[in-house]
């Protein structure tokens, strides 16, 4: 009982610590400072892009992992899920040597198309997508595995081709899982720090997302940093509440 | 025009090797216990389980030969009513029925029109906007039937069409299904573990046991001459078809059988041969049903003897070898049959 209490306090106290530091009176003006608005706007843009990209590439990836048997599938799945456990800063280093100006792919992007991803908003989006997509893949794959596949059989006997079945039957049936996965991915993208700062840098208005701004402003303008933290916290609580409704209110 | 199939497939521990033929306009029931391979056979015909060997031919076109030819399910002119119907939960009743038409490239408006007509045919025109979870079991079954037949397939497959219903809904749904099946002009094949469903819905039975066809024929043939103890147990029942008059059933011979709840209209009475007693003298006692007849044939099936009685109430009685010796039964022996009215199950057809 005591240990449980200590464990709970350990998780709850930092949250209380954060909340009691908020100067509620000046919260609105703190959030209206140029650094804060730039960071928040960038975070919204980057995290939504990262979520969109995660859905665009993650859903087909989840389909392949759940439905196609091929040699090395378990290795492929482990690799896809690696960003969940790998330190984000390591992910950032990896992104740098893959897509940076000197990187595996990045050098050709730069030489041929004059595209430089490092220190760009696109780079921040990539870093967020890298850490967020596994959440979507794992959730959608689980939904695909647990759904009743006989609905797909029924659709096939009604003359539907595989793409039609995926669009009109499978996706609607796994929609709750897809929404949950997208929400998780979005929350993860929003809080992304290590990979972003390593790969995309910390340029205000271009790659300095909210977590980066919090880290930077904690010394110079602690009130603004705390205000931004509280916004991130509120968003995470909202996502949790949404997922809880999804999971408990499952039709 | 017909379905000719020889299906060889292994799924889990099931070793299926069965041949089935169904002619146009005929309803065939595949009858067997759970795990006999009925559903796998049906899925193989639908293209959901590929053949390992054998051949499926529909109207002379090979759909699967286990080697070079395999027509995917979406390319087969089939309609399937699945065991728990599998109506798409996110689509309305109308959209469920229109799904097959849309998949065949028919435009939305036209598909909806045809789907509405299909739903009218099964008497559900006022439920078009409902979601499947709002339907009763019997309604869901009719929607499933409308969905499977809306694009006018050549072959209609039904997997345990009545198993998902509770007992109270079964009788009327069975009667409706029989009427709706009669309006479908293609080839009809259904799978069931319930001999009564098979008797009420099918013209011919295919008995499947452990992946093998052990007997085929009309219900009367199979129940009169079961080829194994198992078949005798499954379908070796007395079926009396007649017209219900309250608590009587009038047989074609004019004989009246006392059956509580016979209702009105055509009905089927089921009496197990174990419930039929044989007497040399006219019996006097509680059984309400007593009829005179004569022994037509005697079959020995291990520890029991099946005696066929001809007369105004044709029956099969199952007795012990000792009882047969005591009564000194042989072909032509005049006997009296008796059975209690409470041993009879009756359902409308």
């Amino acid at each position: 009982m005591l240990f449980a209490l200590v464990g709970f306090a350990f998780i709850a106290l930092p949250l209380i610590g954060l909340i009691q530091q908020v100067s509620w009176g000046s919260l609105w003006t703190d959030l209206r400072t140029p650094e804060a608005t730039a960071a928040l706007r960038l975070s919204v843009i980057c995290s939504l892009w990262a979520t969109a990209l995660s859905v665009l590439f993650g859903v087909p990836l989840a389909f392949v992992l759940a439905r196609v048997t091929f040699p090395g599938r378990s290795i492929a799945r482990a690799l896809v899920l690696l960003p969940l456990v790998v330190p984000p800063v390591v992910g950032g280093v990896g992104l740098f040597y893959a897509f940076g100006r000197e990187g595996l792919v990045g050098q050709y992007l730069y030489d041929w198309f004059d595209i430089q991803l490092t220190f760009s908003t696109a780079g921040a989006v990539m870093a967020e997508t890298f850490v967020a997509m596994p959440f979507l893949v794992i959730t959608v794959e689980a939904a695909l595995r647990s759904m009743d596949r006989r609905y797909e059989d029924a659709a096939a006997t009604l003359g539907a081709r595989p793409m039609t079945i995926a669009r009109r039957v499978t996706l609607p049936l796994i929609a709750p899982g897809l929404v949950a996965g997208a929400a998780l991915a979005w929350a993860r993208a929003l809080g992304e720090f290590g990979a972003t700062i390593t790969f995309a840098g910390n340029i205000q208005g271009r790659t300095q997302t909210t977590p980066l701004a919090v880290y930077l402003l904690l010394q110079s303008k602690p009130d603004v940093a705390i205000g931004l933290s509280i916004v991130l916290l509120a968003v995470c609580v909202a996502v949790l509440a949404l997922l809880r409704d999804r999971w408990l209110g499952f039709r | 025009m017909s379905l000719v199939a020889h299906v060889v497939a292994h799924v889990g521990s099931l070793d299926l090797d069965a041949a089935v033929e169904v002619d146009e306009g005929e309803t065939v029931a595949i009858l067997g216990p759970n795990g006999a391979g009925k559903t796998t056979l049906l899925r193989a015909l639908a293209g959901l389980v590929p053949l390992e060997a054998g051949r499926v031919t529909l109207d002379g076109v090979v759909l699967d030969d286990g080697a070079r030819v395999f027509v995917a399910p979406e390319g087969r002119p089939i309609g399937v009513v699945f065991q728990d119907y599998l109506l798409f939960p996110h689509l309305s009743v109308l959209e469920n029925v229109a799904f097959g038409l849309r998949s065949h490239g028919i435009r939305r408006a036209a598909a909806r029109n045809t789907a509405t007509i299909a739903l009218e045919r099964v008497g559900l025109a006022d439920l078009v906007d409902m979601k499947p979870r709002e339907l009763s079991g019997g309604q869901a079954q009719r929607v499933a039937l409308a969905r499977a037949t809306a694009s006018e397939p050549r072959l209609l497959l039904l997997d345990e069409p009545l198993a998902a219903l509770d007992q109270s809904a079964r009788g009327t749904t069975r009667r409706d299904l029989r009427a709706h099946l009669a309006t479908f002009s293609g080839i009809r094949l259904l799978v069931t573990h319930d001999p009564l469903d098979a008797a009420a819905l099918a013209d011919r039975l295919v008995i499947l046991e452990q992946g093998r066809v052990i007997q085929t024929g009309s219900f009367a043939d199979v129940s009169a001459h079961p080829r194994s103890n198992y078949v005798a147990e499954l379908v070796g029942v007395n079926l009396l078809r007649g017209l219900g008059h309250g608590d009587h059933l009038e047989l074609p011979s004019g004989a009246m059988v006392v059956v509580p709840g016979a209702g009105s209209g055509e009905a089927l009475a089921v009496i197990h041969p174990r419930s039929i007693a044989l007497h040399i003298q006219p019996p006097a006692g509680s059984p309400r049903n007593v009829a005179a007849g004569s022994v037509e044939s005697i079959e020995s099936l291990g520890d029991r003897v099946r005696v066929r009685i001809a007369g105004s109430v044709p029956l099969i009685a199952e007795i012990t070898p000792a009882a047969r010796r005591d009564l000194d039964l042989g072909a032509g022996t005049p006997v009296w049959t008796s059975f209690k009215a409470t041993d009879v199950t009756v359902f409308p057809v």
Side-chain angles (χ1 to χ4, degrees):
Chain A
M1 191 65 202
L2 182 68
F3 279 68
L5 211 62
V6 171
F8 180 75
F10 183 69
I11 289 173
L13 279 176
L15 299 180
I16 296 167
L18 176 63
I19 290 166
Q20 59 96 31
Q21 272 298 318
V22 179
S23 35
W24 297 102
S26 66
L27 182 61
W28 185 242
T29 41
D30 285 340
L31 290 178
R32 298 291 304 266
T33 56
E35 299 99 319
T37 43
L40 284 172
R41 178 187 299 137
L42 190 66
S43 266
V44 168
I45 292 169
C46 287
S47 62
L48 287 179
W49 267 107
T51 309
L53 291 174
S54 295
V55 170
L56 182 65
F57 297 107
V59 170
L61 188 52
F63 259 90
V64 170
L65 289 177
R67 293 292 160 78
V68 186
T69 348
F70 56 91
R73 177 165 71 165
S74 53
I75 297 170
R77 180 185 295 117
L79 215 63
V80 168
L81 300 185
L82 202 60
L84 289 176
V85 286
V86 123
V89 65
V90 174
V93 173
L95 284 168
F96 186 79
Y97 286 111
F99 301 106
R101 250 178 77 173
E102 316 278 289
L104 218 50
V105 180
Q107 55 180 314
Y108 301 109
L109 288 177
Y110 186 68
D111 289 350
W112 297 350
F113 306 106
D114 206 21
I115 294 172
Q116 186 185 340
L117 293 167
T118 43
F119 310 111
S120 71
T121 304
V125 170
M126 281 179 71
E128 291 186 358
T129 310
F130 179 78
V131 295
M133 193 156 74
F135 282 91
L136 185 111
V137 174
I138 200 171
T139 320
V140 172
E141 197 200 338
L144 284 171
R145 284 180 183 281
S146 63
M147 75 167 270
D148 190 343
R149 294 203 55 188
R150 295 176 311 148
Y151 286 111
E152 296 172 343
D153 291 345
T157 66
L158 290 166
R161 292 193 180 79
M163 277 311 288
T164 311
I165 296 175
R167 186 171 51 83
R168 289 204 62 202
V169 176
T170 313
L171 279 178
L173 286 178
I174 62 156
L178 180 59
V179 170
L184 279 174
W186 181 63
R188 180 66 188 89
L190 202 60
E192 181 13 61
F193 179 84
T196 313
I197 202 165
T198 314
F199 178 58
N202 187 8
I203 307 162
Q204 199 189 4
R206 207 191 307 168
T207 69
Q208 191 189 81
T209 55
T210 309
L212 273 57
V214 169
Y215 176 71
L216 200 78
L217 295 173
L218 199 55
Q219 302 302 321
S220 54
K221 295 180 177 173
D223 280 355
V224 178
I226 290 162
L228 288 174
S229 300
I230 227 53
V231 170
L232 288 181
L233 181 66
V235 167
C236 292
V237 169
V239 167
L240 265 187
L242 170 81
L243 293 187
R244 186 177 151 276
D245 277 358
R246 275 282 166 198
W247 284 330
L248 291 185
F250 207 91
R251 282 166 297 167
Chain B
M1 297 286 104
S2 62
L3 168 75
V4 180
H6 175 207
V7 173
V8 179
H10 292 80
V11 177
S13 61
L14 171 71
D15 161 27
L16 180 67
D17 184 346
V20 182
E21 282 190 37
V22 190
D23 286 331
E24 177 139 21
E26 182 186 33
T27 305
V28 167
I30 297 175
L31 182 63
N34 290 330
K38 306 186 297 287
T39 296
T40 305
L41 176 55
L42 205 77
R43 289 174 63 83
L45 298 178
L48 297 169
V49 172
L51 298 191
E52 282 162 31
R55 180 188 288 262
V56 174
T57 313
L58 181 61
D59 296 344
V61 178
V62 177
L63 297 178
D64 190 352
D65 66 358
R68 279 155 300 148
V69 183
F70 176 75
V71 179
E74 63 265 28
R76 300 185 181 199
I78 52 167
V80 184
V81 175
F82 289 87
Q83 181 160 4
D84 26 22
Y85 312 136
L86 299 179
L87 299 176
F88 303 126
H90 57 290
L91 298 180
S92 72
V93 164
L94 184 66
E95 288 167 324
N96 262 283
V97 178
F99 188 96
L101 299 157
R102 297 278 290 138
S103 298
H104 284 102
I106 292 166
R107 293 192 172 279
R108 181 186 297 265
R112 283 172 168 252
N113 269 335
T114 311
T116 310
I117 293 166
L119 281 164
E120 276 165 8
R121 217 163 34 218
V122 296
L124 294 177
D126 45 342
L127 301 184
V128 287
D129 292 327
M130 284 208 179
K131 284 284 171 66
R133 64 173 174 279
E134 299 170 284
L135 302 177
S136 72
Q139 290 169 340
Q141 194 240 37
R142 283 189 277 167
V143 174
L145 188 68
R147 183 176 74 169
T149 52
S151 43
E152 296 179 355
R154 288 288 305 140
L155 171 63
L156 178 61
L157 302 167
L158 303 102
D159 189 1
E160 301 275 7
L162 298 159
L165 302 172
D166 53 45
Q167 210 53 45
S168 60
R170 273 180 97 137
T172 49
T173 311
R174 193 191 279 125
R175 182 192 281 205
D176 289 345
L177 180 59
R178 189 180 147 83
H180 295 314
L181 281 182
T183 65
F184 175 78
S185 58
I187 300 160
R188 303 178 291 252
L189 182 69
L190 69 96
V191 146
T192 179
H193 71 276
D194 186 338
L196 300 188
D197 292 347
L201 298 172
D203 307 310
R204 198 155 59 79
L205 303 189
V206 172
I207 315 274
L208 194 68
E209 192 186 357
Q210 292 179 344
R212 299 290 184 277
V213 173
I214 50 178
Q215 195 166 358
T216 70
S218 72
F219 196 100
D221 289 349
V222 174
S223 62
H225 304 287
R227 213 169 281 166
S228 73
N229 256 339
Y230 165 74
V231 181
E233 200 55 55
L234 193 66
V235 299
V237 293
N238 289 295
L239 274 183
L240 299 175
R241 199 181 275 266
L243 278 174
H245 298 291
D247 58 354
H248 283 71
L249 193 67
E250 185 187 350
L251 302 189
S253 66
M256 287 289 197
V257 176
V258 180
V259 179
S264 59
E266 240 194 293
L268 211 51
V270 184
I271 315 131
H272 199 278
R274 274 195 301 262
S275 305
I276 312 286
L278 297 183
H279 313 266
I280 295 298
Q281 309 280 326
S286 68
R288 309 298 304 138
N289 290 297
V290 175
S294 62
V295 174
E296 190 181 329
S297 64
I298 300 179
E299 262 174 274
S300 190
L301 273 172
D303 59 351
R304 52 196 150 160
V305 178
R306 289 170 67 85
V307 184
R308 254 172 98 77
I309 316 289
S312 61
V313 184
L315 288 170
I316 295 166
E318 223 169 75
I319 59 177
T320 60
R324 180 200 169 183
R325 275 194 307 277
D326 288 351
L327 296 178
D328 191 23
L329 296 181
T333 310
V335 290
W336 295 80
T337 58
S338 76
F339 57 92
K340 295 166 65 176
T342 49
D343 278 341
V344 185
T345 322
V346 67
F347 58 88
V349 291

